[in-house]
Amino acid sequence: MITVGDALKALNITEWSLTGEPTTESEFNTQFKKVTGVDSNGGSILSSNTSDFGTTWSAISSKKKELQTAYDNNAYQRDRAVAYPSMADQLDDIYHNGVDEWKKTIKAVKDKYPKE
């Protein structure tokens, strides 16, 4: 699942603090703080002023949806990666059974987890 933090990072928003996982603009404005500097003790100076945020809830929501769609569209890749035999097992399969048998093994995984 893609988070608001993922969207902030993708928007190149750095040095911030976020409490929880906001789902509305109001929650975001309450839970997000932007680091605007460092105090004399080396601690972060946090601002809850929306003009300091460097982004808007609308931009964050859009980026989060974009990232989630890309993640969802690539589920087959993650499923295949787990289902494929290890490289060592694949090489062993080729050595003992030939390339055609290896291709059958790989095709079975591709057929089970097709591109959408």
Side-chain angles (χ1 to χ4, degrees), residues 24-74:
T24 66
E25 183 174 12
S26 176
E27 288 177 0
F28 176 74
N29 290 341
T30 301
Q31 296 172 346
F32 181 80
K33 306 246 185 304
K34 179 73 170 122
V35 176
T36 57
V38 179
D39 65 21
S40 61
N41 295 320
S44 296
I45 299 172
L46 300 174
S47 173
S48 57
N49 185 335
T50 57
S51 65
D52 291 333
F53 289 179
T55 191
T56 62
W57 176 249
S58 177
I60 293 165
S61 295
S62 294
K63 182 56 79 172
K64 185 177 174 194
K65 288 176 188 169
E66 175 188 325
L67 294 171
Q68 188 66 54
T69 298
Y71 179 84
D72 292 344
N73 289 343
N74 293 320

Side-chain angles (χ1 to χ4, degrees), residues 11-27:
L11 290 167
N12 295 315
I13 304 300
T14 60
E15 299 186 57
W16 44 268
S17 171
L18 183 64
T19 305
E21 183 63 21
T23 58
T24 66
E25 183 174 12
S26 176
E27 288 177 0

